Amino acid sequence: DFSEEEKKLYYANLASISEELQTRIKDNNFDKIAVLAMLTRLRQLCIEPRLIYENINTLSSKLESALDIIDTYKQNNKKLLFFSSFTGAFKLLIPILEKEKIKYHILTGETEKTVRRELVNKFQNDDSTIFLISLKAGGTGLNLTSAEGVIHFDPWWNLSAQNQATDRSHRIGQNNNVYVYKLIIKNSIEEKILALQEKKKNLADTFIEGNDGSISKMSTEDIL
């Protein structure tokens, strides 16, 4: 659930965006890239309002939920993969991990291939708890079977890409059960994304950072 403050913020933005969308449709000015920015804003508000607003000093409901899971895995000396479409979420999480002395590694689209291999080997063999992986970096080529948990911090439009990320841990060589946690905010765009996942299993992932082309594959109906 949203907190009361998060709910007010989300629905104020939702009302504003809905109004702008209706105006754009009426004026026949349905710019999908502009709409992408609107949808991304709503998704960020579900994840952590501090991605957009600077004057907020509290953790988001979703981040608190994730920290509960992370702490449980640390206490039990188990490892976790943490996936998000938004690297800004990592920047908010890392200071907390450092304060709590929770060892982590981070892999994004910016990470060089040689460093990538090194990070994977470290995570597989050291006493770190969590591996933060961006959607852009987490699709293929990673064998992370030391992890027994996977957190999807935000839902992706493309279910097959999301499942592929989960399979970094749940694959040949994994001898333990892998628990997958999908953190979804109630009554938000995130629930709509889940519905679309079911409707279109192969829907192109429109929210990979730096990829602005694939939103054109979504129909106006899907976007609405």
Side-chain angles (χ1 to χ4, degrees):
D1 284 311
F2 279 125
S3 70
E4 281 306 311
E5 287 305 310
E6 287 169 345
K7 191 183 291 183
K8 287 176 191 171
L9 207 53
Y10 180 84
Y11 281 107
N13 277 270
L14 180 61
S16 171
I17 286 170
S18 296
E19 189 177 330
E20 185 176 344
L21 269 179
Q22 295 306 325
T23 302
R24 284 180 175 276
I25 292 167
K26 190 177 175 183
D27 297 342
N28 202 23
N29 178 28
F30 201 76
D31 177 354
K32 288 188 175 180
I33 302 307
V35 174
L36 169 63
M38 295 181 213
L39 296 181
T40 299
R41 185 178 181 86
L42 291 178
R43 295 181 74 224
Q44 288 174 314
L45 286 167
C46 291
I47 291 167
E48 181 44 272
R50 289 181 296 164
L51 291 172
I52 298 173
Y53 295 99
E54 292 181 358
N55 59 342
I56 295 174
N57 300 315
T58 55
L59 301 185
S60 70
S61 299
K62 180 174 281 206
L63 191 55
E64 285 187 347
S65 295
L67 287 167
D68 283 345
I69 298 168
I70 294 166
D71 184 60
T72 298
Y73 273 71
K74 185 200 175 194
Q75 298 303 326
N76 288 279
N77 297 314
K78 293 184 184 296
K79 289 177 176 274
L80 263 173
L81 308 183
F82 184 102
F83 289 103
S84 179
S85 314
F86 299 96
T87 55
F90 300 157
K91 291 174 184 173
L92 295 172
L93 177 58
I94 284 171
I96 303 170
L97 297 178
E98 291 177 344
K99 183 183 176 185
E100 298 296 326
K101 295 185 168 47
I102 297 171
K103 288 190 182 177
Y104 67 92
H105 298 292
I106 179 169
L107 182 63
T108 70
E110 311 288 308
T111 310
E112 293 179 13
K113 283 186 178 177
T114 51
V115 178
R116 182 182 167 112
R117 281 195 296 272
E118 190 180 314
L119 289 172
V120 168
N121 289 334
K122 281 182 179 177
F123 180 76
Q124 284 287 88
N125 298 295
D126 67 12
D127 61 347
S128 59
T129 297
I130 187 167
F131 204 160
L132 310 174
I133 307 173
S134 72
L135 167 55
K136 197 171 181 182
T140 56
L142 299 176
N143 191 343
L144 298 165
T145 50
S146 65
E148 292 180 48
V150 177
I151 293 177
H152 287 292
F153 198 51
D154 43 283
W156 308 348
W157 291 103
N158 187 344
L159 183 60
S160 61
Q162 185 171 296
N163 289 339
Q164 193 177 50
T166 298
D167 288 344
R168 298 312 95 212
S169 175
H170 189 267
R171 61 193 311 184
I172 293 169
Q174 175 58 268
N175 298 315
N176 300 303
N177 290 329
V178 176
Y179 292 89
V180 182
Y181 306 87
K182 297 179 184 180
L183 302 185
I184 307 296
I185 291 287
K186 283 183 183 175
N187 302 315
S188 77
I189 189 174
E190 293 190 335
E191 286 192 333
K192 304 287 188 183
I193 293 172
L194 290 188
L196 268 180
Q197 281 183 352
E198 289 304 311
K199 183 180 171 189
K200 294 191 174 181
K201 299 280 188 187
N202 299 317
L203 188 64
D205 192 336
T206 64
F207 285 103
I208 296 176
E209 289 177 281
N211 180 0
D212 59 4
S214 53
I215 192 169
S216 62
K217 297 174 185 174
M218 288 180 76
S219 69
T220 302
E221 181 191 352
D222 282 333
I223 291 169
L224 287 171

